[in-house]
Amino acid sequence: QVQLVESGGGLVQPGGSLRLSCAASGSIFSINAMGWYRQAPGKMRELVAVITSKGSTNYADSVKGRFTISMDNAKNTVYLQMNSLKPEDTAVYCCHAKITRLVVGREYEYDYWGQGTQVTVSS
């Protein structure tokens, strides 16, 4: 099995910063991509940022220039540095990973999700 454990959420004032972390552990052959999604009350879940194992990144337009995603391959950990936070960034942020596992000698890719961490931007 694979677990994703997130940390770093909390309450911050507008204009402030937070850094989210998500560590993957368990039966991992390789991590193909990791990313962050968020869901605000009454809204659909949306992609915030994603990074592949080769370092390619993609961001939602609403966070470009403010958020930075990075990955430490040795630690199987993805980070989301969030700067210049706005009240509209308030949401539950969930980590996602596309992970390849070996099952009976064959490679299979699976999707895994973290439990979510609350980010609240308010004065």
Side-chain angles (χ1 to χ4, degrees):
Q1 287 291 350
V2 172
Q3 298 80 39
L4 300 181
V5 178
E6 300 143 334
S7 60
L11 173 65
V12 64
Q13 292 185 342
S17 298
L18 280 176
R19 188 193 194 205
L20 304 182
S21 300
C22 173
S25 63
S27 181
I28 298 171
F29 180 71
S30 64
I31 295 178
N32 305 320
M34 296 186 78
W36 293 92
Y37 289 73
R38 68 185 181 186
Q39 187 167 19
K43 294 188 177 181
M44 299 288 289
R45 183 173 63 190
E46 64 173 350
L47 173 69
V48 177
V50 63
I51 185 168
T52 70
S53 59
K54 296 183 178 180
S56 297
T57 59
N58 191 35
Y59 295 90
D61 288 341
S62 59
V63 307
K64 284 181 180 177
R66 300 188 297 123
F67 291 10
T68 302
I69 191 168
S70 61
M71 188 159 65
D72 185 332
N73 293 322
K75 295 181 178 180
N76 290 341
T77 299
V78 65
Y79 305 95
L80 185 67
Q81 178 65 45
M82 305 185 292
N83 299 328
S84 302
L85 283 161
K86 305 175 181 179
E88 51 263 44
D89 293 319
T90 296
V92 175
Y93 285 69
C94 286
C95 176
H96 170 260
K98 285 189 175 292
I99 292 174
T100 296
R101 299 177 60 199
L102 286 178
V103 180
V104 196
R106 298 184 67 179
E107 297 179 16
Y108 294 89
E109 184 178 81
Y110 297 89
D111 289 282
Y112 293 94
W113 293 89
Q115 77 283 2
T117 184
Q118 178 70 45
V119 171
T120 302
V121 185
S122 175
S123 56

